[in-house]
């Protein structure tokens, strides 16, 4: 007799319903037949515990532990899983982006200050419109950089940018 | 399959212009999308620019274009609507000056099609238009009709450089001064070229093996070689190499090693992000440190290779890439008389 086996009583579709409310396409994961082709072809599964088959099973059971665990942050978003999946319409990369959003919202995601490279890239994007120092050719006109800033209002990229400014000020004060 | 109508319909061009598909592009305005990582590999830009100029096509870049912002969307730093709004802003500017936009980067190409696909969701479309309307209200620069509207039916079409080069391969071949001297080439397509469904009309086109780069190598006098990790990711993995470097570099190591195992002379790819990952000296050094193996296979973008084969000056083809292992050797072999 196995004591810790999950009983059907623990299953609920609340988590899935939340994900569908955010991205309708997530409804298609019900069609998953757990064949594991996605895992076999997945680069992230080769180097980490990322296992999309298990993640989908957890979501379908209503188990939100996937939001706390590191695994979802290892996805390469390479879209191979989408190509090899025998079912139609299962969009795993979009599901992962959705899960990461939920994880951020609950405060589990990586802290902004840990995203050092992104701080630099966010800063360049919001001050020059590009993510690498300078492009071949001219810089984006200022009014268009203002437009990009307006588009990104209230986005996490703005908070990352603010974090970079706060860090710089702190460093200046220390000096 | 849901074909994104923004993608250039290559089959249609081939059927309408069976003699010479290049004729489709005559009297059309072409624009090169500026990929951020071209900064490190200027030959990626000049390679295609100079070729198309020699073929007497009308070619430009769009000064008002921003980064595609795919990297921020993939890292959850902007929403789908914000990503789509950045995309629409770029598309509006590009639509003003071009009929066809060319992409040297798998990521940028995927981003522009993806941003457009997101608008199929009514909620995202509404939010995107709200953002664009806010821009209109605050607009301070040059304006033109429809600048801040979601484009209903843009004349603009998008095409990946590799698809274009393949389509006009016979004309490309005629511009070449050198051939590949039977060099063994390990071809790498990159995930967002291999696994892209948005520009495919049929499931067969989406699922079947991709061969265009292999075919170009053959046409140019090289030998494409099969290797175990041919379809594997370069290791960039939507910035995994930045966030989990040791783990992601295992993927890069496997890829490079697999190509070296079959004695490939160099690796060829159609994406500057893959090129950055597979060639960056810092990554090669880390691979050496983590996996105790020094890998020195050279890496080249298809646009750079075209430039070398056309006899462009070394500085223009591969400048700033002096640190890429053994690239000068490949350059010398190809350009020797």
């Amino acid at each position: 007799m196995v004591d810790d086996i999950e009983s059907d009583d623990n299953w609920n579709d609340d988590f899935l319903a939340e994900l569908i409310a955010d991205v309708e396409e997530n409804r298609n994961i019900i069609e998953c037949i757990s064949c594991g082709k996605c895992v076999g072809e997945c680069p992230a599964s080769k180097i980490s515990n990322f296992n999309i088959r298990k993640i989908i099973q957890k979501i379908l059971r209503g188990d939100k532990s996937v939001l706390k665990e590191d695994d979802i942050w290892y996805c390469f978003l390479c879209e191979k899983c989408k190509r090899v999946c025998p079912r139609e319409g299962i969009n795993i990369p979009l599901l992962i982006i959705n899960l990461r959003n939920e994880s951020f919202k609950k405060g589990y995601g990586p802290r902004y200050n840990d995203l050092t490279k992104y701080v630099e890239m966010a800063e360049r994007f919001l001050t020059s419109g590009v993510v690498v120092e300078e492009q071949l050719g001219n810089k984006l006109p200022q009014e268009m950089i203002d437009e990009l800033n307006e588009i990104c209002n209230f986005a996490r990229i703005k908070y990352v940018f603010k974090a970079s400014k706060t860090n710089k000020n702190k460093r200046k004060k220390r000096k | 399959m849901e074909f994104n109508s923004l993608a250039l319909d290559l089959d249609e061009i081939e059927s309408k212009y069976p003699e010479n598909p290049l004729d489709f592009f005559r009297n059309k305005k072409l624009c090169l999308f500026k990929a951020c990582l071209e900064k490190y590999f200027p030959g990626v830009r000049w390679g295609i620019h100079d070729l198309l100029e020699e073929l007497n096509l009308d070619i430009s870049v769009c000064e008002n274009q921003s980064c595609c912002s795919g990297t921020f969307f993939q890292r959850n730093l902007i929403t789908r609507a914000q990503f789509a709004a950045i995309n629409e802003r770029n598309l509006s500017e590009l639509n003003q000056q071009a009929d066809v936009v060319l992409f040297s980067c798998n990521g940028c190409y995927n981003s522009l099609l993806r941003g457009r696909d997101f608008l199929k969701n009514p909620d995202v479309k509404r939010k995107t238009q709200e953002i664009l309307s806010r821009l209109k209200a605050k607009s301070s620069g040059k304006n033109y009709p429809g600048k801040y509207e979601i484009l209903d039916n843009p004349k603009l079409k998008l095409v990946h450089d590799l698809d274009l080069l393949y389509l006009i391969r016979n004309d490309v071949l005629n511009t070449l001064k050198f051939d590949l001297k039977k060099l063994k080439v390990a071809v790498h397509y990159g995930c967002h070229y291999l696994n892209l469904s948005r520009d495919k009309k049929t499931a067969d086109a989406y699922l079947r093996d991709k061969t265009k780069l292999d075919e170009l190598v053959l046409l140019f006098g090289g030998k494409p070689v099969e290797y175990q990790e041919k379809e594997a990711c370069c290791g960039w993995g939507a910035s995994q190499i930045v966030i989990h470097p040791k783990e992601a570099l295992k993927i890069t190591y496997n890829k490079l090693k697999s190509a070296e195992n079959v004695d490939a002379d160099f690796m060829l790819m159609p994406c500057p992000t893959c090129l950055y990952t597979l060639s960056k000296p810092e990554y090669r050094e880390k691979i050496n440190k983590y996996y105790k193996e020094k890998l020195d296979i050279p890496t080249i973008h298809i646009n750079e290779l075209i430039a070398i084969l056309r006899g462009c000056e070394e500085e223009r083809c591969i400048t700033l890439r002096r640190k890429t292992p053994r690239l000068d050797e490949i350059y010398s072999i190809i350009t020797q008389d």
Side-chain angles (χ1 to χ4, degrees), chain B residues 121-273:
Chain B
N121 177 311
D123 191 39
V124 175
K125 187 172 183 180
R126 180 183 53 79
K127 286 180 182 163
T128 305
Q129 186 53 63
E130 277 172 16
I131 295 171
L132 294 174
S133 301
R134 225 168 54 216
L135 294 192
K136 188 176 187 176
K138 293 194 171 179
S139 159
S140 61
K142 261 192 265 173
N143 211 332
Y144 50 78
K147 182 175 178 183
Y148 299 105
E149 306 297 325
I150 290 173
L151 292 169
D152 264 345
N153 197 13
K155 67 172 166 51
L156 193 69
K157 295 291 172 196
L158 315 183
V159 66
H160 193 290
D161 284 357
L162 174 56
D163 294 324
L164 174 77
L165 289 169
Y166 182 80
L167 189 69
I168 60 167
R169 57 195 177 280
N170 293 328
D171 294 277
V172 176
L173 187 64
N174 288 335
T175 69
L176 305 187
K177 198 170 155 191
F178 303 107
D179 68 32
L180 276 171
K181 312 275 192 305
K182 295 190 176 152
L183 286 168
K184 288 190 201 169
V185 185
V187 157
H188 165 78
Y189 286 91
C191 300
H192 292 141
Y193 184 88
L194 276 179
N195 304 323
L196 189 69
S197 61
R198 305 177 205 285
D199 62 348
K200 307 294 186 303
K201 280 183 156 175
T202 62
D204 175 56
Y206 174 42
L207 299 175
R208 75 177 166 221
D209 288 347
K210 308 296 181 281
T211 60
K212 287 181 182 176
L213 206 46
D214 298 75
E215 289 182 51
L216 287 181
V217 168
L218 263 179
L219 185 70
F220 300 158
K223 281 188 192 167
V225 290
E226 286 303 317
Y227 63 110
Q228 178 146 351
E229 300 294 321
K230 186 175 177 185
E231 286 216 353
C233 174
C234 63
W236 177 259
S239 302
Q240 286 299 339
I241 210 156
V242 174
I243 291 149
H244 301 115
K246 192 167 183 183
E247 293 89 340
L249 277 172
K250 181 88 200 289
I251 301 291
T252 311
Y253 164 72
N254 286 345
K255 178 117 211 166
L256 294 167
K257 177 74 182 159
S258 167
E260 287 201 359
N261 280 346
V262 294
D263 295 327
D265 292 300
F266 68 92
M267 284 185 86
L268 182 67
M269 59 214 71
C271 174
T273 310

Side-chain angles (χ1 to χ4, degrees), chain A residues 77 80 97 118 129 147 156, chain B residues 67 76 134 148 192 231 239:
Chain A
L77 299 174
K80 183 84 173 197
I97 288 174
Y118 276 88
E147 287 182 347
R156 284 189 198 102
Chain B
C67 153
N76 299 74
R134 225 168 54 216
Y148 299 105
H192 292 141
E231 286 216 353
S239 302

Side-chain angles (χ1 to χ4, degrees), chain B residues 55 110 233 245 272 275 278 304 312 314 321:
Chain B
L55 293 172
N110 186 22
C233 174
L275 182 63
L278 292 166
E304 294 176 309
C312 277
E314 193 177 355
R321 298 218 16 232

Side-chain angles (χ1 to χ4, degrees), chain B residues 28-34 45 48-49 52-53 57-63 65 93-94 96-102:
Chain B
K28 287 207 168 46
K29 289 180 177 170
L30 310 188
C31 181
L32 304 179
F33 192 85
K34 296 182 286 186
R45 173 91 55 84
I48 191 94
H49 178 274
L52 298 178
E53 215 169 51
L57 296 178
D58 180 349
I59 193 91
S60 68
V61 290
C62 175
E63 287 178 6
Q65 170 227 309
E93 295 292 347
L94 293 162
Q96 281 291 302
Q97 76 173 64
D99 301 305
V100 181
V101 181
L102 277 61

Side-chain angles (χ1 to χ4, degrees), chain A residues 22-24 41 43-44 46-48 70 72-84 88 91 93-94 96-102 104 110 112 115 117-118 121-122 125 129-141 143-144 146-148 150-158 160, chain B residues 1 34-40 42 45-46 63-67 69 71-78 80 82 85-86 89 93 110 114 118 121 131 134-135 138-142 147-148 191-192 194-195 197-198 206-210 231 233 235-240 242-244 247-248 250-251:
Chain A
D22 200 21
V23 178
E24 174 61 29
E41 300 273 358
K46 290 187 173 76
I47 53 146
S48 71
D70 283 346
I72 54 171
W73 299 95
Y74 279 90
C75 173
F76 278 53
L77 299 174
C78 68
E79 310 214 359
K80 183 84 173 197
C81 46
K82 207 172 138 191
R83 183 163 156 230
V84 299
E88 212 171 307
N91 190 340
L94 194 57
I96 294 296
I97 288 174
N98 195 192
L99 289 172
R100 287 176 178 176
N101 255 335
E102 293 301 310
F104 259 133
Y112 296 133
L115 298 170
K117 285 280 172 193
Y118 276 88
M121 289 197 278
F125 182 66
V130 295
V131 298
V132 175
E133 300 92 77
E134 59 187 59
Q135 280 188 299
L136 298 163
N138 297 334
K139 194 186 160 196
L140 204 62
E143 71 259 21
M144 296 189 183
D146 294 343
E147 287 182 347
L148 292 177
E150 181 65 33
I151 292 173
C152 294
N153 257 344
F154 308 111
R156 284 189 198 102
I157 192 172
K158 279 278 178 94
V160 168
Chain B
M1 297 296 298
K34 296 182 286 186
C36 292
L37 285 169
E38 286 175 353
K39 191 237 169 180
Y40 297 115
R45 173 91 55 84
W46 302 133
E63 287 178 6
N64 296 337
Q65 170 227 309
S66 76
C67 153
S69 76
T71 190
F72 301 119
F73 174 71
Q74 289 189 322
R75 214 63 209 173
N76 299 74
L77 297 181
I78 52 176
R80 276 182 296 169
Q82 286 163 331
I86 292 168
R89 206 202 67 78
E93 295 292 347
N110 186 22
R114 178 189 238 171
F118 282 161
N121 177 311
I131 295 171
R134 225 168 54 216
L135 294 192
K138 293 194 171 179
S139 159
S140 61
K142 261 192 265 173
K147 182 175 178 183
Y148 299 105
C191 300
H192 292 141
L194 276 179
N195 304 323
S197 61
R198 305 177 205 285
Y206 174 42
L207 299 175
R208 75 177 166 221
D209 288 347
K210 308 296 181 281
E231 286 216 353
C233 174
W236 177 259
S239 302
Q240 286 299 339
V242 174
I243 291 149
H244 301 115
E247 293 89 340
K250 181 88 200 289
I251 301 291

